[in-house]
Coordinates of all heavy atoms in Angstrom, one line a residue:
M1327 N 154.3 41.5 107.1 CA 153.3 41.3 108.1 C 152.8 42.6 108.6 O 153.6 43.5 108.9 CB 154.0 40.5 109.2 CG 153.0 40.2 110.4 SD 153.7 39.2 111.7 CE 153.3 37.6 111.1
P1328 N 151.5 42.9 108.7 CA 151.0 44.2 109.1 C 151.3 44.4 110.6 O 151.4 43.5 111.4 CB 149.5 44.0 108.9 CG 149.2 42.6 108.7 CD 150.5 41.9 108.3
E1329 N 151.5 45.7 110.9 CA 151.7 46.1 112.3 C 150.5 45.9 113.1 O 149.4 46.3 112.7 CB 152.2 47.5 112.3 CG 152.6 48.0 113.7 CD 153.0 49.4 113.7 OE1 153.7 49.8 112.8 OE2 152.8 50.1 114.7
M1330 N 150.6 45.3 114.3 CA 149.4 45.1 115.2 C 149.3 46.4 116.0 O 150.2 47.0 116.5 CB 149.6 43.9 116.0 CG 149.6 42.6 115.2 SD 149.6 41.2 116.2 CE 148.1 41.3 117.1
T1331 N 148.0 46.8 116.3 CA 147.7 47.9 117.1 C 146.9 47.5 118.3 O 145.9 46.7 118.1 CB 147.0 49.0 116.3 OG1 147.7 49.3 115.2 CG2 146.7 50.2 117.1
T1332 N 147.3 47.9 119.5 CA 146.5 47.6 120.6 C 145.5 48.7 120.8 O 145.8 49.9 120.7 CB 147.4 47.5 121.9 OG1 148.3 46.5 121.7 CG2 146.5 47.2 123.1
I1333 N 144.2 48.4 121.0 CA 143.2 49.3 121.3 C 142.8 49.3 122.7 O 142.6 48.2 123.3 CB 141.9 49.0 120.4 CG1 142.3 49.0 118.9 CG2 140.8 50.0 120.7 CD1 142.7 50.3 118.3
W1334 N 142.8 50.5 123.4 CA 142.4 50.6 124.8 C 141.1 51.2 124.9 O 140.6 52.0 124.1 CB 143.5 51.5 125.5 CG 144.8 51.0 125.4 CD1 145.7 51.2 124.4 CD2 145.5 50.1 126.3 NE1 146.9 50.5 124.6 CE2 146.7 49.8 125.8 CE3 145.1 49.5 127.5 CZ2 147.6 49.0 126.5 CZ3 145.9 48.7 128.1 CH2 147.2 48.4 127.6
I1335 N 140.4 50.9 126.0 CA 139.1 51.5 126.3 C 139.4 52.7 127.1 O 140.1 52.6 128.1 CB 138.2 50.6 127.0 CG1 137.8 49.3 126.1 CG2 136.9 51.3 127.4 CD1 137.0 48.3 126.8
D1336 N 139.0 53.9 126.6 CA 139.3 55.1 127.4 C 138.3 55.3 128.5 O 137.4 54.5 128.7 CB 139.3 56.4 126.5 CG 138.0 56.7 125.8 OD1 136.9 56.3 126.4 OD2 138.0 57.4 124.8
G1337 N 138.4 56.4 129.3 CA 137.6 56.6 130.5 C 136.1 56.8 130.2 O 135.3 56.7 131.1
E1338 N 135.8 57.2 128.9 CA 134.4 57.4 128.6 C 133.8 56.2 127.9 O 132.7 56.2 127.3 CB 134.3 58.6 127.6 CG 134.5 59.9 128.3 CD 136.0 60.2 128.6 OE1 136.8 60.0 127.7 OE2 136.3 60.6 129.7
G1339 N 134.5 55.1 127.9 CA 134.0 53.9 127.2 C 134.3 53.8 125.8 O 133.9 52.8 125.1
G1340 N 135.0 54.8 125.2 CA 135.3 54.8 123.8 C 136.6 54.0 123.6 O 137.2 53.5 124.6
L1341 N 137.1 53.9 122.4 CA 138.3 53.2 122.1 C 139.4 54.2 121.7 O 139.2 55.3 121.1 CB 138.1 52.3 120.9 CG 137.0 51.2 121.1 CD1 136.9 50.3 119.9 CD2 137.3 50.3 122.3
S1342 N 140.6 53.9 122.1 CA 141.8 54.7 121.8 C 143.0 53.9 121.5 O 143.2 52.8 122.1 CB 142.0 55.6 123.0 OG 143.2 56.3 122.9
E1343 N 143.9 54.4 120.7 CA 145.2 53.7 120.5 C 146.2 54.2 121.4 O 147.3 53.6 121.5 CB 145.7 54.0 119.0 CG 144.8 53.2 118.0 CD 145.4 53.4 116.6 OE1 146.6 53.7 116.4 OE2 144.6 53.2 115.6
D1344 N 145.9 55.3 122.2 CA 146.9 55.8 123.2 C 146.9 55.0 124.4 O 145.8 54.7 125.0 CB 146.5 57.3 123.5 CG 146.7 58.2 122.3 OD1 147.5 58.0 121.5 OD2 145.9 59.2 122.3
Q1345 N 148.0 54.5 124.8 CA 148.1 53.7 126.0 C 148.0 54.6 127.2 O 148.7 55.7 127.3 CB 149.4 53.0 126.1 CG 149.5 51.8 125.1 CD 150.8 51.0 125.4 OE1 151.1 50.8 126.6 NE2 151.4 50.5 124.4
P1346 N 147.3 54.2 128.3 CA 147.3 55.0 129.5 C 148.6 54.8 130.3 O 149.3 53.8 130.1 CB 146.1 54.4 130.3 CG 146.1 53.0 129.8 CD 146.5 53.0 128.3
T1347 N 148.8 55.7 131.2 CA 149.9 55.5 132.1 C 149.5 54.5 133.2 O 148.3 54.2 133.3 CB 150.3 56.8 132.8 OG1 149.2 57.2 133.6 CG2 150.8 57.9 131.8
L1348 N 150.4 54.0 133.9 CA 150.0 53.1 135.0 C 149.0 53.8 136.0 O 148.0 53.2 136.4 CB 151.2 52.6 135.8 CG 151.0 51.7 137.0 CD1 150.2 50.4 136.6 CD2 152.3 51.3 137.7
G1349 N 149.3 55.0 136.3 CA 148.4 55.8 137.2 C 147.0 55.9 136.7 O 146.0 55.7 137.4
E1350 N 146.9 56.2 135.4 CA 145.6 56.3 134.7 C 144.9 55.0 134.8 O 143.7 54.9 135.0 CB 145.7 56.8 133.3 CG 146.2 58.3 133.2 CD 146.6 58.6 131.8 OE1 146.9 57.8 131.0 OE2 146.7 59.9 131.5
W1351 N 145.6 53.9 134.5 CA 145.0 52.6 134.5 C 144.5 52.2 135.9 O 143.4 51.7 136.0 CB 146.0 51.6 133.9 CG 145.4 50.2 133.8 CD1 144.8 49.7 132.7 CD2 145.4 49.2 134.7 NE1 144.3 48.5 132.9 CE2 144.7 48.1 134.2 CE3 145.8 49.1 136.0 CZ2 144.5 46.9 134.8 CZ3 145.6 47.9 136.7 CH2 144.9 46.8 136.1
L1352 N 145.3 52.5 136.9 CA 144.9 52.2 138.3 C 143.7 53.0 138.7 O 142.8 52.5 139.3 CB 146.1 52.5 139.2 CG 147.3 51.6 139.2 CD1 148.4 52.1 140.0 CD2 146.9 50.2 139.6
D1353 N 143.6 54.3 138.2 CA 142.4 55.0 138.5 C 141.1 54.4 137.9 O 140.1 54.3 138.5 CB 142.5 56.5 138.0 CG 143.5 57.3 138.8 OD1 143.8 56.9 140.0 OD2 144.0 58.3 138.3
K1354 N 141.3 53.9 136.6 CA 140.2 53.2 136.0 C 139.8 51.9 136.7 O 138.7 51.6 136.8 CB 140.5 53.0 134.5 CG 140.6 54.3 133.7 CD 141.0 54.0 132.3 CE 141.3 55.3 131.6 NZ 141.8 55.2 130.3
W1355 N 140.9 51.2 137.2 CA 140.6 50.0 137.9 C 139.9 50.2 139.2 O 138.9 49.5 139.5 CB 142.0 49.3 138.1 CG 141.9 48.1 139.0 CD1 141.4 46.8 138.5 CD2 142.2 47.9 140.3 NE1 141.4 45.9 139.6 CE2 141.9 46.6 140.7 CE3 142.6 48.8 141.3 CZ2 142.1 46.1 142.0 CZ3 142.8 48.3 142.6 CH2 142.6 47.0 142.9
L1356 N 140.2 51.3 139.9 CA 139.5 51.6 141.1 C 138.1 52.0 140.8 O 137.2 51.6 141.6 CB 140.2 52.8 141.8 CG 141.5 52.4 142.5 CD1 142.2 53.7 143.0 CD2 141.3 51.5 143.7
A1357 N 137.8 52.7 139.7 CA 136.5 53.0 139.4 C 135.7 51.8 139.1 O 134.5 51.6 139.4 CB 136.5 54.0 138.2
L1358 N 136.3 50.8 138.4 CA 135.7 49.5 138.1 C 135.4 48.8 139.4 O 134.3 48.1 139.5 CB 136.6 48.7 137.2 CG 136.0 47.4 136.7 CD1 134.7 47.5 136.0 CD2 137.0 46.6 135.9
C1359 N 136.2 48.9 140.4 CA 136.0 48.2 141.7 C 134.7 48.7 142.3 O 133.9 48.0 142.8 CB 137.1 48.5 142.6 SG 138.6 47.6 142.2
C1360 N 134.4 50.1 142.1 CA 133.2 50.6 142.6 C 132.0 50.1 141.9 O 131.0 49.7 142.5 CB 133.2 52.2 142.5 SG 134.4 53.0 143.6
V1361 N 132.1 50.0 140.5 CA 131.0 49.5 139.7 C 130.7 48.0 140.0 O 129.6 47.6 140.0 CB 131.4 49.7 138.2 CG1 130.4 49.0 137.3 CG2 131.5 51.1 137.9
R1362 N 131.8 47.3 140.3 CA 131.6 45.9 140.7 C 130.9 45.6 142.0 O 130.6 44.5 142.4 CB 133.0 45.2 140.7 CG 133.5 45.0 139.3 CD 134.9 44.2 139.3 NE 135.1 43.4 140.5 CZ 136.2 43.3 141.1 NH1 137.3 44.0 140.8 NH2 136.4 42.5 142.2
G1363 N 130.8 46.7 142.8 CA 130.1 46.6 144.0 C 130.9 46.4 145.3 O 130.4 46.1 146.3
L1364 N 132.2 46.7 145.1 CA 133.1 46.6 146.3 C 132.7 47.8 147.2 O 132.2 48.8 146.8 CB 134.6 46.8 146.0 CG 135.3 45.4 145.7 CD1 134.8 44.8 144.5 CD2 136.8 45.7 145.6
R1365 N 132.8 47.6 148.5 CA 132.4 48.6 149.5 C 133.3 49.8 149.3 O 134.5 49.7 148.9 CB 132.6 48.1 150.9 CG 131.6 47.1 151.3 CD 131.8 46.7 152.7 NE 130.8 45.7 153.1 CZ 131.0 44.8 154.1 NH1 132.1 44.9 154.8 NH2 130.1 43.9 154.3
Q1366 N 132.8 51.0 149.5 CA 133.5 52.2 149.4 C 134.8 52.2 150.3 O 135.8 52.7 149.9 CB 132.6 53.4 149.7 CG 133.3 54.7 149.4 CD 133.6 55.0 148.0 OE1 132.9 54.5 147.1 NE2 134.7 55.7 147.7
T1367 N 134.6 51.7 151.5 CA 135.8 51.6 152.4 C 136.9 50.7 151.8 O 138.1 51.0 152.0 CB 135.4 51.1 153.8 OG1 134.7 49.9 153.7 CG2 134.5 52.1 154.5
T1368 N 136.5 49.7 151.1 CA 137.5 48.8 150.5 C 138.3 49.6 149.4 O 139.5 49.5 149.3 CB 136.8 47.5 149.9 OG1 136.2 46.8 151.0 CG2 137.8 46.6 149.2
V1369 N 137.5 50.2 148.5 CA 138.1 51.0 147.5 C 139.0 52.1 148.0 O 140.1 52.3 147.5 CB 137.1 51.6 146.5 CG1 137.7 52.4 145.4 CG2 136.3 50.4 145.9
E1370 N 138.6 52.8 149.1 CA 139.4 53.8 149.7 C 140.7 53.2 150.3 O 141.7 53.9 150.2 CB 138.6 54.5 150.8 CG 137.5 55.4 150.2 CD 136.5 55.9 151.3 OE1 136.7 55.6 152.5 OE2 135.5 56.6 151.0
G1371 N 140.6 52.0 150.8 CA 141.8 51.3 151.3 C 142.8 51.0 150.2 O 144.0 51.2 150.3
Y1372 N 142.2 50.5 149.1 CA 143.1 50.3 147.9 C 143.8 51.6 147.5 O 145.0 51.6 147.2 CB 142.3 49.7 146.8 CG 141.7 48.3 146.9 CD1 140.8 47.8 146.0 CD2 142.2 47.5 147.9 CE1 140.3 46.5 146.1 CE2 141.7 46.2 148.0 CZ 140.8 45.7 147.1 OH 140.3 44.5 147.2
R1373 N 143.0 52.7 147.4 CA 143.5 54.0 147.0 C 144.7 54.4 147.9 O 145.7 54.9 147.5 CB 142.4 55.0 147.0 CG 142.9 56.5 146.9 CD 143.6 56.8 145.6 NE 142.8 56.7 144.5 CZ 143.3 56.7 143.2 NH1 144.6 56.7 143.0 NH2 142.5 56.6 142.2
R1374 N 144.5 54.3 149.3 CA 145.5 54.6 150.2 C 146.8 53.8 150.0 O 147.9 54.4 150.0 CB 145.0 54.4 151.7 CG 144.5 55.6 152.4 CD 144.3 55.4 153.8 NE 143.6 54.2 154.2 CZ 142.3 53.9 154.2 NH1 141.5 54.9 153.7 NH2 141.8 52.8 154.5
V1375 N 146.7 52.5 149.8 CA 147.8 51.7 149.6 C 148.6 52.1 148.3 O 149.8 52.2 148.3 CB 147.4 50.2 149.5 CG1 148.5 49.3 149.0 CG2 147.0 49.7 150.9
L1376 N 147.8 52.3 147.2 CA 148.4 52.8 146.0 C 149.1 54.1 146.1 O 150.2 54.3 145.7 CB 147.4 52.8 144.9 CG 146.8 51.5 144.4 CD1 145.6 51.7 143.5 CD2 147.8 50.6 143.8
D1377 N 148.5 55.1 146.8 CA 149.0 56.4 147.0 C 150.3 56.3 147.9 O 151.3 57.0 147.6 CB 148.0 57.3 147.7 CG 146.9 57.7 146.7 OD1 147.1 57.5 145.5 OD2 145.9 58.3 147.2
L1378 N 150.3 55.4 148.8 CA 151.5 55.3 149.7 C 152.7 54.6 149.1 O 153.8 55.0 149.3 CB 151.1 54.5 151.0 CG 150.4 55.3 152.1 CD1 149.9 54.3 153.2 CD2 151.2 56.4 152.7
Y1379 N 152.4 53.6 148.3 CA 153.5 52.7 147.9 C 153.8 52.6 146.4 O 154.8 52.0 146.1 CB 153.2 51.3 148.4 CG 153.0 51.2 149.9 CD1 151.8 50.9 150.5 CD2 154.1 51.6 150.7 CE1 151.7 50.9 151.9 CE2 154.0 51.5 152.1 CZ 152.8 51.2 152.7 OH 152.6 51.2 154.0
V1380 N 153.0 53.2 145.5 CA 153.4 53.2 144.1 C 154.0 54.6 143.8 O 153.3 55.6 143.8 CB 152.2 52.9 143.2 CG1 152.6 53.0 141.7 CG2 151.6 51.6 143.5
P1381 N 155.3 54.7 143.6 CA 156.0 55.9 143.4 C 155.5 56.7 142.1 O 155.2 56.0 141.1 CB 157.5 55.6 143.3 CG 157.5 54.1 143.0 CD 156.2 53.5 143.5
S1382 N 155.6 58.0 142.1 CA 155.2 58.8 141.0 C 155.8 58.4 139.7 O 155.2 58.3 138.7 CB 155.4 60.3 141.3 OG 154.5 60.7 142.3
P1383 N 157.2 58.2 139.7 CA 157.8 57.9 138.4 C 157.2 56.6 137.8 O 157.0 56.5 136.5 CB 159.3 57.6 138.7 CG 159.5 58.5 139.9 CD 158.2 58.4 140.7
L1384 N 156.8 55.6 138.6 CA 156.2 54.4 138.1 C 154.8 54.7 137.6 O 154.3 54.2 136.6 CB 156.2 53.3 139.1 CG 155.8 51.9 138.7 CD1 156.6 51.4 137.5 CD2 155.9 50.9 139.8
R1385 N 154.0 55.5 138.4 CA 152.7 55.9 138.0 C 152.6 56.6 136.6 O 151.7 56.5 135.9 CB 152.1 56.8 139.0 CG 151.6 56.2 140.3 CD 151.2 57.3 141.2 NE 150.7 56.7 142.4 CZ 149.5 56.3 142.6 NH1 148.6 56.4 141.7 NH2 149.1 55.8 143.8
E1386 N 153.7 57.4 136.3 CA 153.7 58.2 135.1 C 154.2 57.4 133.9 O 154.3 57.9 132.8 CB 154.6 59.4 135.4 CG 154.0 60.3 136.4 CD 155.0 61.4 137.0 OE1 156.2 61.4 136.5 OE2 154.6 62.1 137.9
T1387 N 154.6 56.2 134.1 CA 155.1 55.3 133.1 C 153.9 54.8 132.2 O 152.9 54.3 132.8 CB 155.9 54.1 133.6 OG1 156.9 54.6 134.5 CG2 156.4 53.2 132.6
V1388 N 154.1 54.8 130.9 CA 153.0 54.3 130.0 C 152.9 52.8 130.4 O 153.9 52.1 130.6 CB 153.4 54.5 128.5 CG1 152.5 53.7 127.6 CG2 153.5 55.9 128.2
L1389 N 151.7 52.3 130.5 CA 151.4 51.0 131.0 C 152.2 49.9 130.2 O 152.7 49.0 130.8 CB 149.9 50.7 130.8 CG 149.4 49.4 131.4 CD1 149.7 49.3 132.9 CD2 147.9 49.3 131.2
G1390 N 152.3 50.0 128.9 CA 153.0 49.1 128.1 C 154.5 49.1 128.3 O 155.2 48.1 127.9
D1391 N 155.0 50.1 129.0 CA 156.4 50.2 129.2 C 156.8 49.7 130.6 O 158.0 49.7 131.0 CB 156.9 51.7 129.0 CG 156.8 52.1 127.6 OD1 156.8 51.3 126.7 OD2 156.8 53.3 127.4
V1392 N 155.8 49.4 131.5 CA 156.1 48.9 132.8 C 156.7 47.5 132.6 O 156.1 46.7 132.0 CB 154.8 48.9 133.7 CG1 155.1 48.3 135.0 CG2 154.3 50.3 133.9
R1393 N 157.8 47.2 133.2 CA 158.5 46.0 133.1 C 158.4 45.2 134.4 O 158.4 45.8 135.5 CB 159.9 46.2 132.7 CG 160.1 46.9 131.4 CD 159.7 45.9 130.3 NE 159.6 46.5 129.0 CZ 158.4 46.6 128.3 NH1 157.3 46.1 128.8 NH2 158.4 47.2 127.1
P1394 N 158.4 43.8 134.3 CA 158.4 43.0 135.5 C 159.5 43.4 136.5 O 159.4 43.3 137.7 CB 158.6 41.6 135.0 CG 158.0 41.7 133.6 CD 158.4 43.0 133.1
Q1395 N 160.7 43.7 135.9 CA 161.8 44.1 136.7 C 161.5 45.3 137.6 O 162.0 45.3 138.8 CB 163.1 44.3 135.9 CG 163.6 43.2 135.1 CD 162.9 43.1 133.7 OE1 161.8 43.6 133.5 NE2 163.5 42.4 132.8
Q1396 N 160.8 46.3 137.1 CA 160.4 47.4 137.9 C 159.5 47.0 139.0 O 159.7 47.5 140.1 CB 159.7 48.5 137.0 CG 160.6 49.1 135.9 CD 159.8 49.9 135.0 OE1 159.1 49.4 134.1 NE2 159.8 51.3 135.1
L1397 N 158.6 46.2 138.7 CA 157.6 45.8 139.8 C 158.3 44.9 140.8 O 158.1 45.1 142.0 CB 156.4 45.0 139.2 CG 155.6 45.8 138.2 CD1 154.5 45.0 137.6 CD2 155.0 47.1 138.9
N1398 N 159.2 44.0 140.4 CA 160.0 43.2 141.3 C 160.8 44.0 142.2 O 161.0 43.8 143.4 CB 160.8 42.1 140.6 CG 159.9 41.0 140.0 OD1 158.8 40.8 140.5 ND2 160.4 40.4 139.0
A1399 N 161.5 45.1 141.6 CA 162.3 46.0 142.4 C 161.5 46.7 143.5 O 161.9 46.9 144.6 CB 163.1 46.9 141.5
L1400 N 160.3 47.2 143.1 CA 159.4 47.8 144.0 C 159.0 46.9 145.1 O 159.0 47.3 146.3 CB 158.2 48.4 143.3 CG 157.1 49.0 144.1 CD1 157.6 50.2 144.9 CD2 155.9 49.4 143.3
Y1401 N 158.6 45.7 144.8 CA 158.2 44.7 145.8 C 159.3 44.4 146.8 O 159.1 44.4 148.0 CB 157.8 43.4 145.2 CG 156.6 43.4 144.3 CD1 156.5 42.6 143.2 CD2 155.5 44.3 144.5 CE1 155.4 42.6 142.4 CE2 154.4 44.3 143.7 CZ 154.3 43.5 142.6 OH 153.3 43.5 141.8
A1402 N 160.5 44.2 146.3 CA 161.7 44.0 147.1 C 162.0 45.2 148.0 O 162.2 45.0 149.2 CB 162.9 43.7 146.2
E1403 N 161.9 46.4 147.5 CA 162.1 47.5 148.3 C 161.1 47.7 149.4 O 161.4 47.9 150.6 CB 162.1 48.8 147.5 CG 162.3 50.1 148.3 CD 162.2 51.3 147.4 OE1 162.4 51.2 146.2 OE2 162.0 52.4 148.0
L1404 N 159.8 47.4 149.1 CA 158.7 47.5 150.1 C 158.9 46.5 151.2 O 158.6 46.7 152.4 CB 157.4 47.4 149.4 CG 157.0 48.6 148.5 CD1 155.7 48.3 147.8 CD2 156.9 49.9 149.3
L1405 N 159.3 45.3 150.8 CA 159.5 44.2 151.8 C 160.6 44.4 152.7 O 160.6 43.9 153.8 CB 159.6 42.8 151.1 CG 158.3 42.3 150.4 CD1 158.6 41.1 149.5 CD2 157.3 42.0 151.4
T1406 N 161.6 45.1 152.3 CA 162.8 45.4 153.1 C 162.8 46.7 153.8 O 163.3 46.8 154.9 CB 164.1 45.2 152.3 OG1 164.1 46.2 151.2 CG2 164.3 43.8 151.7
S1407 N 162.2 47.7 153.2 CA 162.3 49.1 153.8 C 161.1 49.9 153.4 O 161.2 51.1 153.3 CB 163.6 49.8 153.4 OG 163.6 49.9 152.0
G1408 N 160.0 49.3 153.3 CA 158.8 50.0 152.9 C 158.0 50.8 153.9 O 157.1 51.6 153.6
R1409 N 158.3 50.6 155.2 CA 157.5 51.2 156.2 C 157.8 52.7 156.2 O 159.0 53.1 156.2 CB 157.8 50.6 157.6 CG 157.2 49.2 157.7 CD 157.5 48.6 159.1 NE 156.9 49.5 160.1 CZ 155.9 49.1 160.9 NH1 155.4 47.9 160.8 NH2 155.5 49.9 161.8
H1410 N 156.8 53.5 156.3 CA 157.0 55.0 156.3 C 157.6 55.5 157.6 O 158.1 56.6 157.6 CB 155.7 55.7 156.0 CG 155.4 55.6 154.5 ND1 156.0 56.4 153.6 CD2 154.6 54.8 153.8 CE1 155.5 56.1 152.4 NE2 154.7 55.1 152.5
D1411 N 157.5 54.7 158.7 CA 158.2 55.1 159.9 C 159.6 54.7 160.0 O 160.3 55.0 161.0 CB 157.4 54.6 161.1 CG 157.4 53.1 161.2 OD1 158.1 52.4 160.5 OD2 156.7 52.6 162.1
G1412 N 160.1 54.1 158.9 CA 161.6 53.8 158.9 C 162.0 52.6 159.7 O 163.2 52.4 159.9
T1413 N 161.1 51.8 160.1 CA 161.4 50.7 161.0 C 161.5 49.3 160.3 O 161.4 48.3 160.9 CB 160.5 50.6 162.2 OG1 159.1 50.3 161.7 CG2 160.5 51.8 163.1
G1414 N 161.6 49.3 159.0 CA 161.7 48.0 158.3 C 160.8 47.9 157.1 O 160.3 48.9 156.6
G1415 N 160.5 46.7 156.7 CA 159.7 46.4 155.5 C 158.3 46.1 155.9 O 157.9 46.0 157.0
L1416 N 157.5 46.1 154.8 CA 156.1 45.8 154.9 C 155.9 44.3 155.1 O 156.7 43.5 154.6 CB 155.3 46.2 153.7 CG 155.3 47.7 153.4 CD1 154.6 48.0 152.1 CD2 154.6 48.5 154.5
S1417 N 154.8 43.9 155.6 CA 154.4 42.5 155.6 C 154.1 42.1 154.2 O 153.6 42.8 153.4 CB 153.2 42.3 156.5 OG 152.6 41.1 156.3
A1418 N 154.4 40.8 153.9 CA 154.1 40.3 152.6 C 152.6 40.3 152.4 O 152.1 40.2 151.2 CB 154.6 38.9 152.5
R1419 N 151.8 40.4 153.4 CA 150.3 40.4 153.3 C 149.8 41.8 152.9 O 148.6 42.0 152.6 CB 149.7 40.0 154.6 CG 149.9 38.5 154.9 CD 149.3 38.1 156.1 NE 147.8 38.2 156.0 CZ 147.0 38.2 157.0 NH1 147.4 38.0 158.2 NH2 145.7 38.3 156.7
T1420 N 150.6 42.8 153.0 CA 150.2 44.2 152.7 C 149.9 44.4 151.3 O 150.6 44.0 150.4 CB 151.3 45.2 153.2 OG1 151.5 45.1 154.6 CG2 150.8 46.7 152.8

């Protein structure tokens, strides 16, 4: 059986076999939010939340290597102790 290759769209609209990191993918997603017509303040709010709560090691992970267990662990941590002032977890609505 031939090996399957995933093709990604790079930042310039071209095709690439190189998988982006989660951080690179999130940057592209935020840019797409602007193109889709979301308000600039909405996109800036999304950026703030991502910058505050998605840790660097996870951002640097190749997108295809991000596992549900990693995301579930992040969610659990944020819900129990995610506040930056140290007073507890984030609201489930955050």
Side-chain angles (χ1 to χ4, degrees):
M1327 180 178 270
E1329 183 178 326
M1330 294 185 65
T1331 302
T1332 301
I1333 302 296
W1334 299 89
I1335 298 175
D1336 67 22
E1338 288 78 45
L1341 301 178
S1342 172
E1343 290 185 21
D1344 296 328
Q1345 287 190 38
T1347 64
L1348 177 61
E1350 291 167 340
W1351 187 88
L1352 288 169
D1353 288 341
K1354 291 174 187 174
W1355 176 76
L1356 286 171
L1358 182 61
C1359 287
C1360 291
V1361 172
R1362 287 184 21 225
L1364 270 67
R1365 291 185 181 155
Q1366 186 63 33
T1367 54
T1368 300
V1369 176
E1370 290 169 2
Y1372 290 170
R1373 166 63 66 197
R1374 261 191 317 280
V1375 169
L1376 292 170
D1377 288 345
L1378 281 172
Y1379 301 115
V1380 180
S1382 292
L1384 188 56
R1385 286 175 178 273
E1386 295 164 4
T1387 304
V1388 172
L1389 187 60
D1391 292 341
V1392 175
R1393 297 289 168 244
Q1395 298 87 337
Q1396 292 171 286
L1397 298 177
N1398 287 336
L1400 175 61
Y1401 298 147
E1403 179 183 339
L1404 293 174
L1405 289 171
T1406 58
S1407 60
R1409 292 180 58 113
H1410 284 278
D1411 63 8
T1413 61
L1416 297 176
S1417 164
R1419 294 182 62 195
T1420 299

